[in-house]
Amino acid sequence: MLILGIESSCDDAAAAVVDLSGPARATVRSSAVANQDDIHRAYGGVVPELASRNHVVTIVPVINRALENADVSLQAIEGIAVTRGPGLVGSLLVGLMCAKGIAQATGLPMVGVNHIEGHLLAPLIENEIAMPYLALVVSGGHTALFVVENLGQYRRIGSTRDDAAGEAFDKVAKLMGLGYPGGKVIDELSRSGNPKRVRIPRARVKGAPLDFSFSGVKTAVATLLRTQDGQMVQPEDLAASFQEAIVDMLIAPTLAAARKLDIQTMAITGGVAANSRLRDRLSNAAADEGLRVVAPALKYCTDNAAMIAVAGGWRLMRGERDDLSIDAEANLAL
Ligand code: KG4
Ligand code: ZN
């Protein structure tokens, strides 16, 4: 079944054409993204009003680009999967209204998709994974551990108590004057830094070993930067030390959950899953314990519409449909 995926939950407008030959068997024919980093950089974070206004301009061209790159016309598409939440409501509305317009004009079936379900199933693109698997969702808006029991059956077993990991990367990059978005810059800068140069305390949530907390790390960096000693530290050493702390705090609960639940496969997904240190450290730790790590290609870690097409596609294959009355939901639960 040929699915058109549409995603606009935050600052990326994306469209993809995905061929589903079975519920969890996907071939991505194209995945196009209109990125807005240049627009939000000046503000050091996503400005919701600017994000939605720009989606209005880019959503149709990005859909056309996905169709062209897949070398198919709209007539060949058999179903539409579109993100309906969670996310910025103004941003979500643009993709959702566009999907409804196409569905109305063509008569194609449409389903609304939870953005987190997209991230949870992104590891299935290009990988064969037996269920259940553990999924660490780490992005700018979310940090949580899930057990993917089956398609449509997801159990959240751990969450951040404060900031998301990507948010911590972005805020620390801003404090250090490194620009936006921060994760990629810190990742690159850290390669030449010493992760042991600055002592950064690792936070653990008392009585909840599978939960995360990142606000203390961010505060530690902010406090250090206000001191003379902090001013003397090389940026690459501070970046590497901060990144190492975040990676430690992501890996510990993930391995603990795999051991506790006796799950052999751990998948990392979401923008922070692009982090090279996280990928390396988790792979090494997993190898030591005989576990498997699946990390999607970078383009499927950050926001994209291929994962939305996969998450909506298996529902469309089962005959599920949403009607034109569905709404965007900023806090849509999984
Ligand atoms: O999944 P995503 O594209 O959007 C959300 O749903 O949030 O994730 C974006 C987040 C940003 O916070 C960005 O700084 C972070 O992912 N990120 C990274 C890296 N690349 C992107 N964080 C750490 N290391 C990276 N290489
Ligand atoms: Zn996301």
Side-chain angles (χ1 to χ4, degrees), residues 9 115 119 139 142 303 307:
S9 63
H115 181 81
H119 279 305
S139 70
H142 308 274
D303 285 350
M307 67 182 193

Side-chain angles (χ1 to χ4, degrees), residues 8-83:
S8 68
S9 63
C10 189
D11 59 335
D12 290 319
V17 176
V18 171
D19 200 349
L20 278 191
S21 55
R25 230 168 281 145
T27 307
V28 178
R29 298 272 297 265
S30 67
S31 181
V33 180
N35 179 280
Q36 298 183 3
D37 286 351
D38 289 343
I39 292 162
H40 301 286
R41 187 164 288 124
Y43 307 94
V46 175
V47 182
E49 185 67 25
L50 291 179
S52 53
R53 284 188 201 182
N54 280 283
H55 285 333
V56 172
V57 178
T58 56
I59 195 79
V60 171
V62 91
I63 291 171
N64 284 332
R65 185 143 54 91
L67 291 169
E68 272 163 32
N69 292 350
D71 203 17
V72 295
S73 66
L74 196 53
Q75 285 71 36
I77 298 293
E78 297 170 271
I80 305 167
V82 59
T83 307

